[in-house]
Amino acid sequence: MLVEAGATRLLVDAGLPLVTLRRQLARAELTVKPNAIIVTHAHGDHCRHAAELSEHYQAPLFVSEATRRSVRLGGRRAPQVFGSRAPFSVGELTVTAMSVPHDAPQVSLRFEHAGQAAALATDLGEVPPGLLEHFAGCDTVLIESNHDHEMLWAGPYPYHLKRRVSGGHGHLSNAQTHGLLRSLDRGVRTVVLMHLSQTNNTPELARASAAEALCDHPATLLVASQFGVTAVGDAPAPPPQLELFPR
Ligand SMILES: [Zn+2]
Ligand SMILES: [Zn+2]
């Protein structure tokens, strides 16, 4: 995810190799280059290419202390370490991290700039107390809707992986996200469903579940795809051919 605010362009997570990231940005006609990178946690789909991207963009890395201890990110510069619940600055953005339950130490991030706020929470096994408060006042909420419970249990994953994904330190199901969205602050203008499983979910199922939870909530509902770019807020809309999933 790329957060742009003022002169700050913060890349959140580094799971894509440089060549793929550049292709995606170019296809979306985005010419911006990240000037800082936050890695949320020590899983490969979030941190594998941190050193490569940091070196290429000459962008400092930011990680939690627990992530710094659990993975060698590589690269020439030591990452900058942030704490939980204590706001810190990344360029013009104010960022606040909150720990969430996952099988690697993980954080939900809140970004603030010039009176606007957005929050991101993916890779969490359950909704911890305080997460809705962490989202308070946000214009945009980006939330995991990883799997459909039935698809997961009827699907091809081995038993231990099904237990891991659905456990308290795994990933949010569509139903769990439904539960969270039912209590969402009415001031939220955009909800983006994130981190959908390719094997155990479909954009249609995730969207239908979230739409039912939001019911008469006025927020716009988007489903992010890993194969294209989803523009939120003042970001320029990507060209129509990137609309791989129906909105
Ligand atoms: Zn992940
Ligand atoms: Zn993870």
Side-chain angles (χ1 to χ4, degrees):
M1 183 171 89
L2 188 68
V3 183
E4 193 174 11
T8 303
R9 296 171 300 277
L10 171 63
L11 184 69
V12 182
D13 284 331
L16 296 177
L18 176 64
V19 59
T20 309
L21 180 67
R22 286 173 75 166
R23 193 169 54 223
Q24 295 271 35
L25 291 173
R27 286 177 66 204
E29 295 171 8
L30 286 169
T31 53
V32 295
K33 292 184 170 71
N35 51 24
I37 301 170
I38 285 190
V39 172
T40 59
H41 68 298
H43 282 160
D45 57 325
H46 299 260
C47 73
R48 193 173 289 125
H49 300 281
E52 179 193 12
L53 297 177
S54 171
E55 290 294 316
H56 177 80
Y57 290 114
Q58 288 297 298
L61 284 173
F62 293 78
V63 296
S64 70
E65 174 60 24
T67 295
R68 188 191 65 77
R69 272 190 267 121
S70 40
V71 67
R72 254 190 66 80
L73 294 170
R76 260 170 273 173
R77 283 183 289 186
Q80 302 190 33
V81 173
F82 58 82
S84 192
R85 305 271 191 169
F88 59 99
S89 295
V90 178
E92 294 179 38
L93 278 166
T94 301
V95 183
T96 311
M98 173 187 163
S99 296
V100 294
H102 192 48
D103 49 5
Q106 166 65 327
V107 287
S108 164
L109 295 171
R110 178 189 169 99
F111 311 94
E112 288 171 79
H113 172 78
Q116 288 193 295
L120 167 75
T122 71
D123 300 73
L124 61 169
E126 56 193 22
V127 174
L131 190 64
L132 276 172
E133 288 74 10
H134 187 60
F135 292 171
C138 282
D139 313 280
T140 302
V141 167
L142 304 110
I143 179 78
E144 173 168 68
S145 195
N146 176 257
H147 58 279
D148 172 77
H149 186 79
E150 273 80 47
M151 274 185 81
L152 173 69
W153 284 97
Y157 276 18
Y159 179 71
H160 73 273
L161 201 52
K162 291 179 180 179
R163 283 201 53 172
R164 197 199 129 210
V165 168
S166 62
H169 289 81
H171 292 274
L172 289 187
S173 67
N174 295 343
Q176 287 172 295
T177 302
H178 182 285
L180 175 82
L181 292 177
R182 298 244 321 173
S183 307
L184 194 68
D185 191 296
R186 290 194 69 83
V188 175
R189 288 188 298 166
T190 308
V191 172
V192 187
L193 303 181
M194 305 279 287
H195 212 295
L196 273 67
S197 168
Q198 271 181 271
T199 308
N200 305 311
N201 209 355
T202 67
E204 292 77 17
L205 281 174
R207 165 181 286 282
S209 172
E212 186 193 89
L214 290 170
C215 187
D216 63 346
H217 192 294
T220 302
L221 177 63
L222 303 174
V223 182
S225 159
Q226 60 178 299
F227 303 108
V229 173
T230 304
V232 179
D234 302 331
Q241 69 266 27
L242 290 179
E243 302 257 357
L244 300 179
F245 293 145
R247 296 272 165 105

